[in-house]
Amino acid sequence: MKKIVSFVIAGTMAIGSFPGLISTASALKYDATQRALEIVLDGNKIPFQEVRPMMDANNRTLVPLRVVSENLGAKVKWDGKSKKAMIQKGDARIEMKVNDSTAYINGEATTFDSRMVMIGSSTFVPLRFVSEAFGTEVEFDKGAYYVYVKTPGFEKADVKLDEYGREIRTTNLPKNHKDFPYILKDIPNEMYEVPLHIEKGEEDKFMNPLKLLSEPHINRVNVDAWKEKIEEYYGLVLNVDYKNIDYNWAKQVRNYENMLGGDGEMKAYVDWVKRNKIKVEGSLVAEPSLVYDDGLHYRMRTKYKFRITNFDRYKDLIYDSSFHLEKNNNGKLLRYEKDVWYEGYADIPLGSNINGAHYTPNLMLSTPSLFLDNAVVKASK
């Protein structure tokens, strides 16, 4: 892809969702359409499980406290009684208290426009404030929705990065590594080794990611736009709650799909969610380096995670026509249990009824599914 740099300081960014936050902390806000933000530390994405980054009322990035201790190399002491954290790295020491906008850096009081907060048993700290106190650089790529945290000297390290600032690896490669332009350090081989889907009767038009990369319209502007649509669509689909869903959800979902007709199908699902008392939460991240042509549509590989926390009848729990599919090209599928996290990979098709749309950012999701064709889904460990 052609390199297009689009960085702004992280203080102005909107951050990925964490379902249910608005009901538990007035200082936070939650919108199900928010994309799942990725944090890239020195070229490698920080893995998140159920607890993901979020934003406060001032659009400041908040990350789980453990991210600081596990990834920035800091030592953390937590005082549960006073709800105070002491974070130390080298000569820098930060003391913060939950819901207090004053922190202490090496004993000196500093006021900032964010706060450390607690959601349930998880503690979140302002990423930019903590990172800059430790001398690290923080930037935001609006197109890819990545936050970059760079420690001093990282740019001088002898590592090769892709145009999204992520480290490329050359060892322990997946079996099919020749299908891809490069292999990323932070993506496991199993994600690469999911077989690419090829449409029957369209085999002569198929292009793997390496071949498709040579097409001039596979560039940052287009790919980032397709990635955004996929992630926002599944921000809606994987976060529904019978207590507050309405027809506005249906209207929003319809805006992302390449299909004829109105939003009647989505409204019917909304009505069913209410009657069946369905509650689903989850997130999905699309990988911009894994785009290919299945012969009929472009597809972008995604990694997703979800759990179903409430329902009366086991029927149409997720807005996906293949939810009840028992078997796909990769074998037998699951019956999804309540309160169990599931994760998987799916190649989301992109298409349009408009001639020439393949060469623009205007592609839409074309009969997307998390379970059809070559999708892989399993219970989380």
Side-chain angles (χ1 to χ4, degrees), residues 241-259:
D241 188 337
Y242 70 94
K243 295 179 181 179
N244 55 37
I245 195 171
D246 57 27
Y247 286 159
N248 184 55
W249 181 95
K251 182 179 179 181
Q252 288 178 288
V253 168
R254 175 64 186 87
N255 288 337
Y256 293 101
E257 289 202 39
N258 176 44
M259 60 180 289

Side-chain angles (χ1 to χ4, degrees), residues 10-303:
T12 63
M13 59 192 167
I15 303 306
S17 63
F18 185 81
L21 291 177
I22 194 168
S23 63
T24 54
S26 60
L28 305 175
K29 59 182 179 180
Y30 163 65
D31 179 352
T33 65
Q34 290 173 17
R35 301 162 65 187
L37 180 87
E38 297 294 286
I39 297 178
V40 180
L41 171 63
D42 287 347
N44 294 283
K45 287 194 289 187
I46 294 176
F48 294 99
Q49 299 300 320
E50 293 84 53
V51 183
R52 297 192 61 86
M54 59 183 179
M55 67 176 174
D56 64 12
N58 295 312
N59 290 346
R60 302 298 189 186
T61 317
L62 299 178
V63 297
L65 181 59
R66 64 176 177 79
V67 170
V68 175
S69 59
E70 294 177 1
N71 295 278
L72 292 183
K75 295 181 179 180
V76 177
K77 291 184 179 179
W78 172 251
D79 184 340
K81 185 175 182 180
S82 62
K83 295 182 179 180
K84 182 185 295 185
M86 196 274 281
I87 310 169
Q88 184 161 1
K89 182 179 181 182
D91 296 331
R93 186 182 74 256
I94 305 172
E95 295 179 56
M96 308 179 75
K97 190 174 182 179
V98 170
N99 293 328
D100 193 339
S101 59
T102 299
Y104 294 85
I105 300 178
N106 295 335
E108 184 176 343
T110 303
T111 302
F112 56 107
D113 60 358
S114 187
R115 301 178 182 183
M116 181 170 70
V117 298
M118 288 192 69
I119 304 297
S121 60
S122 298
T123 305
F124 294 79
V125 296
L127 175 62
R128 185 187 180 202
F129 178 83
V130 173
S131 294
E132 291 185 349
F134 291 152
T136 60
E137 179 185 353
V138 180
E139 295 178 324
F140 178 51
D141 184 333
K142 183 177 181 181
Y145 222 61
Y146 291 162
V147 176
Y148 296 93
V149 180
K150 301 177 183 179
T151 58
F154 169 68
E155 296 290 354
K156 299 178 182 179
D158 186 21
V159 295
K160 186 176 181 180
L161 307 178
D162 77 344
E163 63 177 311
Y164 287 93
R166 300 169 303 171
E167 185 173 344
I168 296 171
R169 60 185 166 101
T170 56
T171 59
N172 188 31
L173 300 177
K175 298 175 183 178
N176 56 344
H177 65 93
K178 293 183 179 179
D179 287 337
F180 307 100
Y182 50 82
I183 304 299
L184 290 167
K185 183 178 178 180
D186 55 29
I187 294 183
N189 283 352
E190 68 173 10
M191 185 169 179
Y192 287 106
E193 292 176 352
V194 175
L196 301 172
H197 176 72
I198 304 176
E199 280 290 316
K200 292 183 179 180
E202 305 292 343
E203 291 85 354
D204 60 324
K205 299 177 183 177
F206 170 80
M207 286 191 282
N208 63 25
L210 176 61
K211 187 174 181 180
L212 187 61
L213 179 68
S214 63
E215 299 293 313
H217 57 285
I218 306 301
N219 54 51
R220 282 291 303 268
V221 172
N222 290 345
V223 172
D224 287 353
W226 304 337
K227 172 178 164 67
E228 177 180 6
K229 290 173 185 177
I230 292 171
E231 292 175 348
E232 289 186 348
Y233 174 86
Y234 279 104
L236 288 161
V237 169
L238 292 179
N239 292 284
V240 299
D241 188 337
Y242 70 94
K243 295 179 181 179
N244 55 37
I245 195 171
D246 57 27
Y247 286 159
N248 184 55
W249 181 95
K251 182 179 179 181
Q252 288 178 288
V253 168
R254 175 64 186 87
N255 288 337
Y256 293 101
E257 289 202 39
N258 176 44
M259 60 180 289
L260 299 175
D263 57 4
E265 182 179 320
M266 296 80 175
K267 287 182 177 179
Y269 175 73
V270 170
D271 293 337
W272 173 242
V273 168
K274 292 180 178 179
R275 292 199 307 273
N276 198 30
K277 297 183 179 180
I278 297 171
K279 187 173 182 181
V280 180
E281 59 180 309
S283 61
L284 176 147
V285 175
E287 174 47 51
S289 69
L290 301 184
V291 181
Y292 67 97
D293 190 334
D294 69 10
L296 188 62
H297 301 101
Y298 289 154
R299 287 180 179 249
M300 186 177 294
R301 183 151 295 179
T302 67
K303 182 176 183 179

